[in-house]
Amino acid sequence: MAVQPEGTPCWADAMFGDLEGAKSFYGDVLGWTFGESSPEYGNYTQAYADGKAVAAVVPPMPGQGGEEERPQWCLYLAARDASATADRIREHGGQVLMEPMQVADFGSMCLARDPGGVVFGVWQAGSHEGFEVIGEPGAYVWAEIYTREPAKSDAFFPAVFSYRQRDMEDDQMDFRVYDLGDRSVLGRMRMTEDFPPEVPPYINVYFAVEDCDEAVARATKLGGVLRFGPMTMAFGRFAALSDPQGAHFSVIDTTKTEGEMPKLTDVG
């Protein structure tokens, strides 16, 4: 089994009150197909792009997911030892929302919140190693921490996962990149006043698509809301959306690029 470096984004899932609605929406927008729900694991349902596991959807557990609770994509970061990672999370000012638990032979997980309110997951792989493909149409490709308190995230995540940090040289935004070795694995964006106050800090997950504009058209036709874009940059043509149940996500076509790559400056 390949062990990913600690802190590597390795899986994503979301809880939806209308599970069939979510499956229909993402199936149409991202081309996902779905496996059988697992009643013994709360009807956890894996999504596939071209036959490879890329994410999962799940209905609320009893007592969870009331109408006031907006669905949210949860990004999981790889850990060699979920319990040790949970200890570091607490040590550096984070909150463990769900204590480490073994999920059959699939692996161990916990859920946590950083000091600025960003919720994320931790996954210690067993037989389920995480994403079976990255960057291909329908699959995860990138994620960014959206926070109103960037200093807290910048102190917390690198302390827990040993990220190296680099700042983007851009007067228009406060954006930082977290690296593992020579690989960039996460972005961190300061939330400006453009974000409504009722939108909590979150991790924005990007899924690759063959055509950004077509994906946006499909999403909005099905009741999704376009939040930003489409816009073309050096990384690709992308757009930020929310699905009909309110979960935020982004789509990106990495084959359409424009302009120079932004300069990044080491900050530790």
Side-chain angles (χ1 to χ4, degrees), residues 222-244:
L222 294 167
V225 177
L226 178 62
R227 301 293 182 183
F228 177 82
M231 179 179 181
T232 306
M233 297 182 67
F235 303 106
R237 184 164 178 80
F238 70 98
L241 298 152
S242 55
D243 69 27

Side-chain angles (χ1 to χ4, degrees), residues 15-165:
M15 186 178 292
F16 293 102
D18 180 2
L19 188 67
E20 292 306 313
K23 289 164 66 175
S24 177
F25 176 82
Y26 286 100
D28 286 344
V29 175
L30 298 178
W32 287 354
T33 58
F34 295 88
E36 294 294 323
S37 296
S38 302
E40 65 272 34
Y41 302 112
N43 288 314
Y44 199 81
T45 307
Q46 285 204 147
Y48 297 86
D50 196 23
K52 298 175 181 176
V54 291
V57 295
V58 62
M61 292 182 284
Q64 283 189 300
E67 290 186 4
E68 75 287 349
E69 193 171 328
R70 178 178 62 82
Q72 176 175 296
W73 281 100
C74 180
L75 182 71
Y76 291 79
L77 305 175
R80 285 188 294 271
D81 183 326
S83 294
T85 302
D87 290 341
R88 291 200 304 275
I89 287 167
R90 282 186 283 258
E91 177 186 347
H92 294 287
Q95 180 183 4
V96 176
L97 305 175
M98 178 186 289
E99 291 292 335
M101 60 177 288
Q102 182 79 25
V103 186
D105 66 347
F106 300 118
S108 298
M109 64 165 287
C110 70
L111 296 177
R113 180 186 289 127
D114 90 338
V118 178
V119 174
F120 64 100
V122 170
W123 183 249
Q124 177 187 340
S127 63
H128 190 295
E129 296 182 21
F131 298 125
E132 291 184 346
V133 63
I134 289 176
E136 296 182 8
Y140 168 89
V141 66
W142 180 246
E144 292 163 351
I145 297 162
Y146 280 23
T147 177
R148 294 183 177 86
E149 300 182 271
K152 290 184 176 181
S153 293
D154 292 342
F156 172 80
F157 283 101
V160 174
F161 295 106
S162 300
Y163 296 137
R164 180 170 64 98
Q165 304 180 64

